[in-house]
Amino acid sequence: MKVIQFYKNETQLVKRAIKQHRDAQRQLYNQYAPKMLSVCRRYIKDIHFAEEVMLNGFLKVFTNLEKFKFEGSFEGWVRRIMVNESISFLRKEKQIFFTEDIVGYHEESWNNINTELEVEQIQILLDALPEGYRTVFVLYAIEGYKHSEIAEMLQISESTSKSQLFKARKMLQRKLNELNMLSDGALKI
């Protein structure tokens, strides 16, 4: 009977993966693939392309594993690679467009709408956004990047990042209002 060694902590698992132990690499992949597919899917509408981007991201993860410095979380490091891969895919496919800046826009808070949305419904709402809006919204509101970081990543100005976020929020707010007005609660976009 073959005994399978369980790794007590992630650091040990990553160190073994760096040494090309396939079982450790497989465990890391199995542990993070569902989360990272979700990250890629936020940016890319088509699940098949999102899966391809995730696989390319994991190829980069395992190719560059020795560059992980064990400072901060491993998951955060992998997530950053997946975000960058998603943005690269959108650029390559020329699917990401940014509209002109709005001069004089202002930050406004979201209205508190009492809606209980499922993850799938939220993804449908995000998918309804134009690529530029969705990309900036996900980077800012979900991933937690600052406008200066987003501007650098997407090679746009900070004001463009802010205006894309503003427009995305307005569009999402309108969709949420429409959703709340539906009597049966079904999501129709």
Side-chain angles (χ1 to χ4, degrees):
M1 181 172 169
K2 185 176 179 181
V3 177
I4 300 172
Q5 181 179 5
F6 290 101
Y7 298 98
K8 290 187 169 79
N9 66 45
E10 187 176 80
T11 301
Q12 183 183 7
L13 190 60
V14 172
K15 285 179 180 178
R16 288 188 45 84
I18 289 170
K19 293 178 181 175
Q20 302 297 313
H21 287 93
R22 298 293 178 222
D23 63 318
Q25 291 173 337
R26 185 179 319 103
Q27 285 183 36
L28 286 172
Y29 176 83
N30 289 339
Q31 182 176 345
Y32 290 109
K35 289 179 186 177
M36 296 307 127
L37 179 58
S38 177
V39 168
C40 295
R41 179 62 184 85
R42 287 184 199 125
Y43 295 93
I44 302 165
K45 286 183 187 182
D46 187 310
I47 186 70
H48 299 99
F49 289 129
E51 287 174 345
E52 181 181 328
V53 168
M54 180 201 66
L55 291 173
N56 288 336
F58 271 107
L59 179 61
K60 281 195 176 174
V61 166
F62 291 122
T63 303
N64 296 293
L65 205 49
E66 70 282 350
K67 293 179 183 175
F68 178 65
K69 301 197 184 335
F70 298 93
E71 299 168 357
S73 79
F74 180 71
E75 182 177 339
W77 184 76
V78 173
R79 177 183 290 272
R80 177 94 179 189
I81 291 171
M82 295 301 164
V83 168
N84 289 334
E85 279 298 301
S86 297
I87 291 169
S88 293
F89 171 82
L90 291 172
R91 269 200 201 111
K92 187 180 97 180
E93 298 297 316
K94 299 196 183 341
Q95 293 183 9
I96 189 166
F97 300 101
F98 299 100
T99 58
E100 295 295 318
D101 297 345
I102 297 177
V103 178
Y105 86 95
H106 62 282
E107 285 287 325
E108 72 179 41
S109 61
W110 287 68
N111 292 337
N112 290 333
I113 298 177
N114 293 328
T115 300
E116 291 185 23
L117 295 176
E118 297 292 324
V119 172
E120 184 177 322
Q121 292 173 313
I122 293 169
Q123 188 63 57
I124 290 169
L125 287 170
L126 289 175
D127 286 345
L129 293 174
E131 295 293 334
Y133 293 9
R134 180 176 62 243
T135 302
V136 171
F137 180 84
V138 170
L139 285 169
Y140 184 86
I142 297 174
E143 301 292 342
Y145 288 100
K146 297 175 184 169
H147 285 294
S148 59
E149 296 169 312
I150 295 168
E152 185 178 328
M153 289 171 75
L154 300 178
Q155 300 169 352
I156 58 176
S157 69
E158 279 188 54
S159 61
T160 299
S161 176
K162 290 176 183 178
S163 86
Q164 295 295 293
L165 178 64
F166 174 78
K167 292 174 184 179
R169 284 179 169 169
K170 293 282 275 184
M171 187 175 277
L172 285 171
Q173 186 69 53
R174 186 173 36 83
K175 294 288 185 185
L176 285 170
N177 286 336
E178 291 170 8
L179 179 63
N180 280 339
M181 287 196 271
L182 292 176
S183 59
D184 63 350
L187 184 59
K188 298 174 186 169
I189 297 181

